[in-house]
Amino acid sequence: MTPTLREVAQLAGVSIKTVSNVINGYPHIRPATRERVESAIAELGYTPNLTARNLRAGRSGAITLALPDMGLAYFAELAAQVIETAESAGLIVQLEHTGGVRERELELLRSPRRQSSDGLIFSPLGMSQDDAGALNVPYPLVLLGERIFDGPTDHITMRNHDAARAATEHLLESGRRRIAIIGAHEGEVIGSAGLRFAGYRAALEGAGIAVDPALVGYTGLWHRANGAETMRALVETGVDFDAAFCLNDTLALGAMRALEELGRSVPDDVAVIGFDNLDEAQYSIPSLTTVEPGRGWIADTAVKALNARIDGSVSREERSRTLFAPYRIVERESTLAGRST
Amino acid sequence: MTPTLREVAQLAGVSIKTVSNVINGYPHIRPATRERVESAIAELGYTPNLTARNLRAGRSGAITLALPDMGLAYFAELAAQVIETAESAGLIVQLEHTGGVRERELELLRSPRRQSSDGLIFSPLGMSQDDAGALNVPYPLVLLGERIFDGPTDHITMRNHDAARAATEHLLESGRRRIAIIGAHEGEVIGSAGLRFAGYRAALEGAGIAVDPALVGYTGLWHRANGAETMRALVETGVDFDAAFCLNDTLALGAMRALEELGRSVPDDVAVIGFDNLDEAQYSIPSLTTVEPGRGWIADTAVKALNARIDGSVSREERSRTLFAPYRIVERESTLAGRST
DNA sequence: ACTCTCGCCTTCAACGTTGTAGCCTGATTG
DNA sequence: CAATCAGGCTACAACGTTGAAGGCGAGAGT
């Protein structure tokens, strides 16, 4: 089908290895020979077979990015960043979905498909700390997110606790006192929900306010519908509140929608802050104040860290590192001066 | 590093080929032998080397999906679908960004990286009909979208003209008569913008209404900001209109935001319809009436068509087909009964 | 008893590359 | 003038896998 070195060699009247040498820039080749080879390559339209090269080299030139679901805006934007960074490092990105399901995640780590790429950037969602052992894999692995800590691999994450605290403090500073939280997970300690909840609690306690269980909205999934539903339920309990910290933007957008439907004004009646700084957050009505989680930095750093393990510039023995992305609060309309001003 | 067939064979005391046979389910193997091999595999944690397998098979088990940008919701959702479908067909998906830039698209078609996957699903944006020749590539290719028609490859698209006509008619049926269009491209004939504009024109003319140039909002990019800006400009001209057909949902969401800011109510003053049925459209305020473009069908069909070319069940000689996805109007709040009811 | 068939397993070669070793030629050197 | 060396090329082996072909014994058929 496609031509191989053998055919190019035959046409140019040289050995197969000489063609290989020309292609790989080996210096000691007579100009005349080089020229003959090059024109043979051009004539046949030869391109090297990467599979063979990879087999020879023991490398594939590809990395795998495993995410819960590309349909979720946060992951889509993360993937876009990873692809850009990998592209400029000459790497191909293979994408896998886990659906956030523990079994699929464990399966993914063991799958023979891992052999077809040189390393994995993995954002677990279903696995928990107990599964950390499964991360002990024979290939380079970089972990994202906050499901698992102290694993045996490099880990890129953000300071969820601090960022959530800052987000809550932002609401407190604008005079809000009755701050609901949307998206909590019952009993979770680590994981985005657990850490962000702890940051929320810390901010409140720092301001001398106790966490009111009536203001804690639990919801397993973080989709728009869940945000809307949880907010609706909260309003229907009749409890008083003047702000909501939503554990991600998607929840926040759903919650804002529910508030609007129920006749509560954002930010006048209820200030809303999200988390993730999705592209969408700046175009919602009202635009959404949120936490920018350093997604670009995360993608860059993850690809670089993985690459360092792949090319051996950081060896397998070297201790795993945990790197924290810088965050910042992006202030928009949904938390503008409220009731108390 | 990772064990190979050779080591498994040694441990099990059989030939390398027998191990291979066990793995590939060759029937004539004594249970005792099979068991020894299997326990050797388990003991060593052997997994087959896919690169070698692929070299042998002349296949890579991967397909490439090339899209303008995963950061755009439409493409992210499309990619999610493609990944799901490919996964269940046992294929790995490699993702490439073109940025919608013609040169990167042409480069992508020729790149040696194509050799590392078995085929390409390609959604061009920068290339135009004149570049159709570049689609004559030596590997299986499936084209998406409406930039190029009558290319040499299978093509999955939708009936943009009909769907746009239906969308416009939906507005007409609710009594709207002054229908603006947002996102037109000057002089474009094919391409999403051109085809959808033609459908808009056809609907209006079918209702005995001429296209009013004052109601045509041009914008090159289809981002939220462009939708908002174009709508703002339209309102500022002072022209009268009671509906807007936005050529995609993102534009529509931006346009709705601008209308809201300018004190026009949706749908009471202006009905808005979009195109794409993004997940987001059902959660906006108001929720957005839109055209569901059959994204799931497109992803499924694209993977299947590509796979058919790859495994040879549809040969290279067989004529290329153009397949049209089914569409439908999804009615939501943004076009509910307006002025004239 | 002799072939035939069939089950079970092995050897060989090949997929397309590239690293290693080495061969030949002509120029340089003491 | 032999020894040395560098330049320019080639042959071979190997990366890990699997299809093709074939060997060997045991039971079936004649």
Side-chain angles (χ1 to χ4, degrees), chain A residues 280-314:
Chain A
E280 195 179 339
Q282 68 183 294
Y283 297 103
S284 62
I285 306 175
S287 59
L288 179 66
T289 298
T290 186
V291 176
E292 156 60 45
R295 207 170 16 243
W297 187 93
I298 290 176
D300 266 31
T301 308
V303 171
K304 274 176 202 139
L306 187 62
N307 221 3
R309 298 273 174 181
I310 290 171
D311 68 20
S313 62
V314 172

PDB file of all heavy atoms in Angstrom, chain A residues 280-314:
ATOM      1  N   GLU A 280     -18.307  30.022  29.758  1.00  0.00           N
ATOM      2  CA  GLU A 280     -19.708  30.368  29.861  1.00  0.00           C
ATOM      3  C   GLU A 280     -20.013  31.376  30.978  1.00  0.00           C
ATOM      4  O   GLU A 280     -20.953  32.171  30.862  1.00  0.00           O
ATOM      5  CB  GLU A 280     -20.445  29.069  30.159  1.00  0.00           C
ATOM      6  CG  GLU A 280     -21.906  29.126  29.965  1.00  0.00           C
ATOM      7  CD  GLU A 280     -22.517  27.755  30.279  1.00  0.00           C
ATOM      8  OE1 GLU A 280     -21.784  26.743  30.250  1.00  0.00           O
ATOM      9  OE2 GLU A 280     -23.711  27.732  30.559  1.00  0.00           O
ATOM     10  N   ALA A 281     -19.217  31.319  32.040  1.00  0.00           N
ATOM     11  CA  ALA A 281     -19.534  32.114  33.226  1.00  0.00           C
ATOM     12  C   ALA A 281     -19.525  33.606  32.935  1.00  0.00           C
ATOM     13  O   ALA A 281     -20.240  34.385  33.543  1.00  0.00           O
ATOM     14  CB  ALA A 281     -18.547  31.789  34.348  1.00  0.00           C
ATOM     15  N   GLN A 282     -18.730  34.007  31.963  1.00  0.00           N
ATOM     16  CA  GLN A 282     -18.668  35.437  31.699  1.00  0.00           C
ATOM     17  C   GLN A 282     -19.801  35.909  30.794  1.00  0.00           C
ATOM     18  O   GLN A 282     -19.961  37.097  30.575  1.00  0.00           O
ATOM     19  CB  GLN A 282     -17.309  35.828  31.118  1.00  0.00           C
ATOM     20  CG  GLN A 282     -17.044  35.313  29.733  1.00  0.00           C
ATOM     21  CD  GLN A 282     -15.654  35.694  29.273  1.00  0.00           C
ATOM     22  OE1 GLN A 282     -15.337  36.854  29.071  1.00  0.00           O
ATOM     23  NE2 GLN A 282     -14.811  34.686  29.117  1.00  0.00           N
ATOM     24  N   TYR A 283     -20.581  34.965  30.273  1.00  0.00           N
ATOM     25  CA  TYR A 283     -21.664  35.369  29.374  1.00  0.00           C
ATOM     26  C   TYR A 283     -23.048  35.072  29.931  1.00  0.00           C
ATOM     27  O   TYR A 283     -24.040  35.308  29.272  1.00  0.00           O
ATOM     28  CB  TYR A 283     -21.496  34.697  28.007  1.00  0.00           C
ATOM     29  CG  TYR A 283     -20.235  35.122  27.323  1.00  0.00           C
ATOM     30  CD1 TYR A 283     -19.122  34.297  27.280  1.00  0.00           C
ATOM     31  CD2 TYR A 283     -20.150  36.378  26.729  1.00  0.00           C
ATOM     32  CE1 TYR A 283     -17.957  34.699  26.662  1.00  0.00           C
ATOM     33  CE2 TYR A 283     -18.994  36.799  26.106  1.00  0.00           C
ATOM     34  CZ  TYR A 283     -17.903  35.948  26.078  1.00  0.00           C
ATOM     35  OH  TYR A 283     -16.756  36.359  25.463  1.00  0.00           O
ATOM     36  N   SER A 284     -23.110  34.516  31.105  1.00  0.00           N
ATOM     37  CA  SER A 284     -24.423  34.231  31.675  1.00  0.00           C
ATOM     38  C   SER A 284     -25.068  35.549  32.089  1.00  0.00           C
ATOM     39  O   SER A 284     -24.420  36.589  32.133  1.00  0.00           O
ATOM     40  CB  SER A 284     -24.272  33.307  32.886  1.00  0.00           C
ATOM     41  OG  SER A 284     -23.516  33.944  33.887  1.00  0.00           O
ATOM     42  N   ILE A 285     -26.371  35.463  32.398  1.00  0.00           N
ATOM     43  CA  ILE A 285     -27.082  36.650  32.851  1.00  0.00           C
ATOM     44  C   ILE A 285     -27.614  36.381  34.236  1.00  0.00           C
ATOM     45  O   ILE A 285     -28.479  35.525  34.393  1.00  0.00           O
ATOM     46  CB  ILE A 285     -28.273  36.985  31.929  1.00  0.00           C
ATOM     47  CG1 ILE A 285     -27.778  37.097  30.494  1.00  0.00           C
ATOM     48  CG2 ILE A 285     -28.963  38.270  32.371  1.00  0.00           C
ATOM     49  CD1 ILE A 285     -28.887  37.294  29.497  1.00  0.00           C
ATOM     50  N   PRO A 286     -27.138  37.041  35.263  1.00  0.00           N
ATOM     51  CA  PRO A 286     -25.975  37.924  35.235  1.00  0.00           C
ATOM     52  C   PRO A 286     -24.691  37.121  35.079  1.00  0.00           C
ATOM     53  O   PRO A 286     -24.702  35.911  35.281  1.00  0.00           O
ATOM     54  CB  PRO A 286     -26.030  38.578  36.619  1.00  0.00           C
ATOM     55  CG  PRO A 286     -26.691  37.558  37.493  1.00  0.00           C
ATOM     56  CD  PRO A 286     -27.688  36.869  36.603  1.00  0.00           C
ATOM     57  N   SER A 287     -23.620  37.810  34.724  1.00  0.00           N
ATOM     58  CA  SER A 287     -22.343  37.109  34.598  1.00  0.00           C
ATOM     59  C   SER A 287     -21.923  36.609  35.980  1.00  0.00           C
ATOM     60  O   SER A 287     -22.283  37.191  36.999  1.00  0.00           O
ATOM     61  CB  SER A 287     -21.293  38.031  34.003  1.00  0.00           C
ATOM     62  OG  SER A 287     -21.113  39.175  34.806  1.00  0.00           O
ATOM     63  N   LEU A 288     -21.193  35.520  35.989  1.00  0.00           N
ATOM     64  CA  LEU A 288     -20.969  34.780  37.232  1.00  0.00           C
ATOM     65  C   LEU A 288     -19.586  35.032  37.837  1.00  0.00           C
ATOM     66  O   LEU A 288     -18.568  34.823  37.189  1.00  0.00           O
ATOM     67  CB  LEU A 288     -21.125  33.275  36.943  1.00  0.00           C
ATOM     68  CG  LEU A 288     -20.910  32.310  38.097  1.00  0.00           C
ATOM     69  CD1 LEU A 288     -21.979  32.484  39.162  1.00  0.00           C
ATOM     70  CD2 LEU A 288     -20.892  30.874  37.578  1.00  0.00           C
ATOM     71  N   THR A 289     -19.588  35.475  39.065  1.00  0.00           N
ATOM     72  CA  THR A 289     -18.343  35.554  39.820  1.00  0.00           C
ATOM     73  C   THR A 289     -17.889  34.131  40.122  1.00  0.00           C
ATOM     74  O   THR A 289     -18.705  33.274  40.444  1.00  0.00           O
ATOM     75  CB  THR A 289     -18.563  36.316  41.139  1.00  0.00           C
ATOM     76  OG1 THR A 289     -18.969  37.642  40.836  1.00  0.00           O
ATOM     77  CG2 THR A 289     -17.289  36.342  41.972  1.00  0.00           C
ATOM     78  N   THR A 290     -16.602  33.899  40.008  1.00  0.00           N
ATOM     79  CA  THR A 290     -16.151  32.510  40.130  1.00  0.00           C
ATOM     80  C   THR A 290     -14.680  32.442  40.510  1.00  0.00           C
ATOM     81  O   THR A 290     -14.011  33.468  40.610  1.00  0.00           O
ATOM     82  CB  THR A 290     -16.418  31.762  38.801  1.00  0.00           C
ATOM     83  OG1 THR A 290     -16.114  30.383  38.959  1.00  0.00           O
ATOM     84  CG2 THR A 290     -15.560  32.327  37.684  1.00  0.00           C
ATOM     85  N   VAL A 291     -14.218  31.227  40.719  1.00  0.00           N
ATOM     86  CA  VAL A 291     -12.805  31.014  41.028  1.00  0.00           C
ATOM     87  C   VAL A 291     -12.115  30.501  39.767  1.00  0.00           C
ATOM     88  O   VAL A 291     -12.534  29.491  39.196  1.00  0.00           O
ATOM     89  CB  VAL A 291     -12.638  29.971  42.148  1.00  0.00           C
ATOM     90  CG1 VAL A 291     -11.159  29.691  42.387  1.00  0.00           C
ATOM     91  CG2 VAL A 291     -13.316  30.432  43.413  1.00  0.00           C
ATOM     92  N   GLU A 292     -11.110  31.204  39.333  1.00  0.00           N
ATOM     93  CA  GLU A 292     -10.313  30.745  38.195  1.00  0.00           C
ATOM     94  C   GLU A 292      -9.301  29.733  38.736  1.00  0.00           C
ATOM     95  O   GLU A 292      -8.451  30.069  39.552  1.00  0.00           O
ATOM     96  CB  GLU A 292      -9.603  31.949  37.564  1.00  0.00           C
ATOM     97  CG  GLU A 292      -8.347  31.639  36.768  1.00  0.00           C
ATOM     98  CD  GLU A 292      -8.608  30.708  35.596  1.00  0.00           C
ATOM     99  OE1 GLU A 292      -9.592  30.927  34.882  1.00  0.00           O
ATOM    100  OE2 GLU A 292      -7.814  29.764  35.433  1.00  0.00           O
ATOM    101  N   PRO A 293      -9.395  28.484  38.288  1.00  0.00           N
ATOM    102  CA  PRO A 293      -8.599  27.423  38.907  1.00  0.00           C
ATOM    103  C   PRO A 293      -7.259  27.160  38.232  1.00  0.00           C
ATOM    104  O   PRO A 293      -6.621  26.154  38.519  1.00  0.00           O
ATOM    105  CB  PRO A 293      -9.516  26.207  38.739  1.00  0.00           C
ATOM    106  CG  PRO A 293     -10.206  26.471  37.430  1.00  0.00           C
ATOM    107  CD  PRO A 293     -10.336  27.963  37.291  1.00  0.00           C
ATOM    108  N   GLY A 294      -6.838  28.032  37.338  1.00  0.00           N
ATOM    109  CA  GLY A 294      -5.528  27.828  36.720  1.00  0.00           C
ATOM    110  C   GLY A 294      -5.483  26.649  35.773  1.00  0.00           C
ATOM    111  O   GLY A 294      -4.522  25.886  35.746  1.00  0.00           O
ATOM    112  N   ARG A 295      -6.515  26.515  34.978  1.00  0.00           N
ATOM    113  CA  ARG A 295      -6.615  25.361  34.093  1.00  0.00           C
ATOM    114  C   ARG A 295      -5.453  25.298  33.092  1.00  0.00           C
ATOM    115  O   ARG A 295      -4.904  24.242  32.823  1.00  0.00           O
ATOM    116  CB  ARG A 295      -7.943  25.413  33.345  1.00  0.00           C
ATOM    117  CG  ARG A 295      -8.454  24.097  32.932  1.00  0.00           C
ATOM    118  CD  ARG A 295      -9.877  24.186  32.403  1.00  0.00           C
ATOM    119  NE  ARG A 295     -10.261  25.534  32.096  1.00  0.00           N
ATOM    120  CZ  ARG A 295     -11.239  26.187  32.714  1.00  0.00           C
ATOM    121  NH1 ARG A 295     -11.933  25.601  33.642  1.00  0.00           N
ATOM    122  NH2 ARG A 295     -11.530  27.422  32.383  1.00  0.00           N
ATOM    123  N   GLY A 296      -5.120  26.462  32.552  1.00  0.00           N
ATOM    124  CA  GLY A 296      -4.016  26.501  31.585  1.00  0.00           C
ATOM    125  C   GLY A 296      -2.717  26.032  32.231  1.00  0.00           C
ATOM    126  O   GLY A 296      -1.981  25.221  31.664  1.00  0.00           O
ATOM    127  N   TRP A 297      -2.468  26.497  33.405  1.00  0.00           N
ATOM    128  CA  TRP A 297      -1.262  26.115  34.135  1.00  0.00           C
ATOM    129  C   TRP A 297      -1.269  24.620  34.406  1.00  0.00           C
ATOM    130  O   TRP A 297      -0.260  23.935  34.273  1.00  0.00           O
ATOM    131  CB  TRP A 297      -1.224  26.912  35.440  1.00  0.00           C
ATOM    132  CG  TRP A 297       0.041  26.743  36.232  1.00  0.00           C
ATOM    133  CD1 TRP A 297       1.149  27.530  36.161  1.00  0.00           C
ATOM    134  CD2 TRP A 297       0.307  25.733  37.221  1.00  0.00           C
ATOM    135  NE1 TRP A 297       2.098  27.070  37.044  1.00  0.00           N
ATOM    136  CE2 TRP A 297       1.621  25.977  37.704  1.00  0.00           C
ATOM    137  CE3 TRP A 297      -0.418  24.660  37.737  1.00  0.00           C
ATOM    138  CZ2 TRP A 297       2.207  25.182  38.683  1.00  0.00           C
ATOM    139  CZ3 TRP A 297       0.175  23.859  38.707  1.00  0.00           C
ATOM    140  CH2 TRP A 297       1.477  24.127  39.173  1.00  0.00           C
ATOM    141  N   ILE A 298      -2.436  24.115  34.779  1.00  0.00           N
ATOM    142  CA  ILE A 298      -2.544  22.690  35.084  1.00  0.00           C
ATOM    143  C   ILE A 298      -2.205  21.849  33.861  1.00  0.00           C
ATOM    144  O   ILE A 298      -1.409  20.905  33.929  1.00  0.00           O
ATOM    145  CB  ILE A 298      -3.973  22.346  35.594  1.00  0.00           C
ATOM    146  CG1 ILE A 298      -4.181  22.952  36.988  1.00  0.00           C
ATOM    147  CG2 ILE A 298      -4.197  20.838  35.625  1.00  0.00           C
ATOM    148  CD1 ILE A 298      -5.586  22.754  37.550  1.00  0.00           C
ATOM    149  N   ALA A 299      -2.794  22.221  32.719  1.00  0.00           N
ATOM    150  CA  ALA A 299      -2.552  21.453  31.496  1.00  0.00           C
ATOM    151  C   ALA A 299      -1.066  21.490  31.125  1.00  0.00           C
ATOM    152  O   ALA A 299      -0.446  20.454  30.858  1.00  0.00           O
ATOM    153  CB  ALA A 299      -3.402  22.011  30.352  1.00  0.00           C
ATOM    154  N   ASP A 300      -0.511  22.666  31.126  1.00  0.00           N
ATOM    155  CA  ASP A 300       0.905  22.827  30.797  1.00  0.00           C
ATOM    156  C   ASP A 300       1.790  21.988  31.699  1.00  0.00           C
ATOM    157  O   ASP A 300       2.674  21.257  31.252  1.00  0.00           O
ATOM    158  CB  ASP A 300       1.321  24.285  31.024  1.00  0.00           C
ATOM    159  CG  ASP A 300       1.218  25.081  29.761  1.00  0.00           C
ATOM    160  OD1 ASP A 300       0.329  24.748  28.947  1.00  0.00           O
ATOM    161  OD2 ASP A 300       2.025  26.006  29.592  1.00  0.00           O
ATOM    162  N   THR A 301       1.544  22.141  32.987  1.00  0.00           N
ATOM    163  CA  THR A 301       2.388  21.489  33.968  1.00  0.00           C
ATOM    164  C   THR A 301       2.252  19.970  33.883  1.00  0.00           C
ATOM    165  O   THR A 301       3.236  19.242  33.997  1.00  0.00           O
ATOM    166  CB  THR A 301       2.011  21.986  35.376  1.00  0.00           C
ATOM    167  OG1 THR A 301       2.028  23.409  35.350  1.00  0.00           O
ATOM    168  CG2 THR A 301       2.986  21.487  36.402  1.00  0.00           C
ATOM    169  N   ALA A 302       1.040  19.528  33.639  1.00  0.00           N
ATOM    170  CA  ALA A 302       0.812  18.080  33.549  1.00  0.00           C
ATOM    171  C   ALA A 302       1.581  17.495  32.372  1.00  0.00           C
ATOM    172  O   ALA A 302       2.252  16.466  32.505  1.00  0.00           O
ATOM    173  CB  ALA A 302      -0.682  17.793  33.416  1.00  0.00           C
ATOM    174  N   VAL A 303       1.480  18.146  31.230  1.00  0.00           N
ATOM    175  CA  VAL A 303       2.178  17.623  30.053  1.00  0.00           C
ATOM    176  C   VAL A 303       3.688  17.644  30.287  1.00  0.00           C
ATOM    177  O   VAL A 303       4.393  16.682  29.973  1.00  0.00           O
ATOM    178  CB  VAL A 303       1.818  18.428  28.785  1.00  0.00           C
ATOM    179  CG1 VAL A 303       2.693  18.024  27.614  1.00  0.00           C
ATOM    180  CG2 VAL A 303       0.355  18.231  28.441  1.00  0.00           C
ATOM    181  N   LYS A 304       4.173  18.719  30.864  1.00  0.00           N
ATOM    182  CA  LYS A 304       5.617  18.805  31.099  1.00  0.00           C
ATOM    183  C   LYS A 304       6.088  17.755  32.092  1.00  0.00           C
ATOM    184  O   LYS A 304       7.123  17.120  31.906  1.00  0.00           O
ATOM    185  CB  LYS A 304       5.984  20.206  31.573  1.00  0.00           C
ATOM    186  CG  LYS A 304       6.222  21.149  30.408  1.00  0.00           C
ATOM    187  CD  LYS A 304       6.489  22.578  30.868  1.00  0.00           C
ATOM    188  CE  LYS A 304       6.178  23.553  29.732  1.00  0.00           C
ATOM    189  NZ  LYS A 304       5.494  24.753  30.220  1.00  0.00           N
ATOM    190  N   ALA A 305       5.322  17.577  33.148  1.00  0.00           N
ATOM    191  CA  ALA A 305       5.714  16.597  34.167  1.00  0.00           C
ATOM    192  C   ALA A 305       5.714  15.188  33.577  1.00  0.00           C
ATOM    193  O   ALA A 305       6.625  14.392  33.807  1.00  0.00           O
ATOM    194  CB  ALA A 305       4.758  16.671  35.361  1.00  0.00           C
ATOM    195  N   LEU A 306       4.702  14.913  32.789  1.00  0.00           N
ATOM    196  CA  LEU A 306       4.625  13.584  32.181  1.00  0.00           C
ATOM    197  C   LEU A 306       5.792  13.374  31.231  1.00  0.00           C
ATOM    198  O   LEU A 306       6.460  12.336  31.248  1.00  0.00           O
ATOM    199  CB  LEU A 306       3.297  13.423  31.433  1.00  0.00           C
ATOM    200  CG  LEU A 306       3.025  12.017  30.903  1.00  0.00           C
ATOM    201  CD1 LEU A 306       2.939  11.018  32.044  1.00  0.00           C
ATOM    202  CD2 LEU A 306       1.753  11.964  30.074  1.00  0.00           C
ATOM    203  N   ASN A 307       6.041  14.387  30.436  1.00  0.00           N
ATOM    204  CA  ASN A 307       7.119  14.287  29.455  1.00  0.00           C
ATOM    205  C   ASN A 307       8.468  14.065  30.128  1.00  0.00           C
ATOM    206  O   ASN A 307       9.313  13.328  29.631  1.00  0.00           O
ATOM    207  CB  ASN A 307       7.143  15.547  28.591  1.00  0.00           C
ATOM    208  CG  ASN A 307       7.402  15.215  27.143  1.00  0.00           C
ATOM    209  OD1 ASN A 307       7.516  14.045  26.784  1.00  0.00           O
ATOM    210  ND2 ASN A 307       7.518  16.227  26.319  1.00  0.00           N
ATOM    211  N   ALA A 308       8.647  14.699  31.255  1.00  0.00           N
ATOM    212  CA  ALA A 308       9.908  14.546  31.978  1.00  0.00           C
ATOM    213  C   ALA A 308      10.097  13.099  32.436  1.00  0.00           C
ATOM    214  O   ALA A 308      11.199  12.560  32.395  1.00  0.00           O
ATOM    215  CB  ALA A 308       9.941  15.489  33.172  1.00  0.00           C
ATOM    216  N   ARG A 309       9.008  12.476  32.835  1.00  0.00           N
ATOM    217  CA  ARG A 309       9.092  11.066  33.233  1.00  0.00           C
ATOM    218  C   ARG A 309       9.306  10.177  32.011  1.00  0.00           C
ATOM    219  O   ARG A 309       9.998   9.172  32.082  1.00  0.00           O
ATOM    220  CB  ARG A 309       7.805  10.615  33.938  1.00  0.00           C
ATOM    221  CG  ARG A 309       7.495  11.343  35.231  1.00  0.00           C
ATOM    222  CD  ARG A 309       8.172  10.705  36.437  1.00  0.00           C
ATOM    223  NE  ARG A 309       7.976  11.516  37.639  1.00  0.00           N
ATOM    224  CZ  ARG A 309       8.478  11.212  38.829  1.00  0.00           C
ATOM    225  NH1 ARG A 309       9.209  10.129  38.996  1.00  0.00           N
ATOM    226  NH2 ARG A 309       8.274  11.999  39.865  1.00  0.00           N
ATOM    227  N   ILE A 310       8.689  10.555  30.924  1.00  0.00           N
ATOM    228  CA  ILE A 310       8.798   9.715  29.733  1.00  0.00           C
ATOM    229  C   ILE A 310      10.219   9.726  29.181  1.00  0.00           C
ATOM    230  O   ILE A 310      10.791   8.683  28.880  1.00  0.00           O
ATOM    231  CB  ILE A 310       7.815  10.189  28.637  1.00  0.00           C
ATOM    232  CG1 ILE A 310       6.377   9.890  29.053  1.00  0.00           C
ATOM    233  CG2 ILE A 310       8.122   9.516  27.300  1.00  0.00           C
ATOM    234  CD1 ILE A 310       5.329  10.503  28.152  1.00  0.00           C
ATOM    235  N   ASP A 311      10.778  10.922  29.057  1.00  0.00           N
ATOM    236  CA  ASP A 311      12.106  10.967  28.437  1.00  0.00           C
ATOM    237  C   ASP A 311      13.212  10.704  29.454  1.00  0.00           C
ATOM    238  O   ASP A 311      14.390  10.796  29.134  1.00  0.00           O
ATOM    239  CB  ASP A 311      12.320  12.267  27.655  1.00  0.00           C
ATOM    240  CG  ASP A 311      12.408  13.479  28.559  1.00  0.00           C
ATOM    241  OD1 ASP A 311      12.689  13.320  29.758  1.00  0.00           O
ATOM    242  OD2 ASP A 311      12.213  14.596  28.062  1.00  0.00           O
ATOM    243  N   GLY A 312      12.818  10.389  30.667  1.00  0.00           N
ATOM    244  CA  GLY A 312      13.797   9.956  31.648  1.00  0.00           C
ATOM    245  C   GLY A 312      14.555  11.086  32.335  1.00  0.00           C
ATOM    246  O   GLY A 312      15.418  10.830  33.161  1.00  0.00           O
ATOM    247  N   SER A 313      14.217  12.326  32.006  1.00  0.00           N
ATOM    248  CA  SER A 313      14.941  13.414  32.662  1.00  0.00           C
ATOM    249  C   SER A 313      14.533  13.494  34.141  1.00  0.00           C
ATOM    250  O   SER A 313      15.231  14.069  34.960  1.00  0.00           O
ATOM    251  CB  SER A 313      14.700  14.750  31.950  1.00  0.00           C
ATOM    252  OG  SER A 313      13.348  15.101  31.990  1.00  0.00           O
ATOM    253  N   VAL A 314      13.379  12.901  34.454  1.00  0.00           N
ATOM    254  CA  VAL A 314      13.041  12.654  35.857  1.00  0.00           C
ATOM    255  C   VAL A 314      12.848  11.146  35.961  1.00  0.00           C
ATOM    256  O   VAL A 314      11.999  10.583  35.282  1.00  0.00           O
ATOM    257  CB  VAL A 314      11.746  13.376  36.269  1.00  0.00           C
ATOM    258  CG1 VAL A 314      11.326  12.934  37.661  1.00  0.00           C
ATOM    259  CG2 VAL A 314      11.947  14.876  36.224  1.00  0.00           C
TER     260      VAL A 314
END
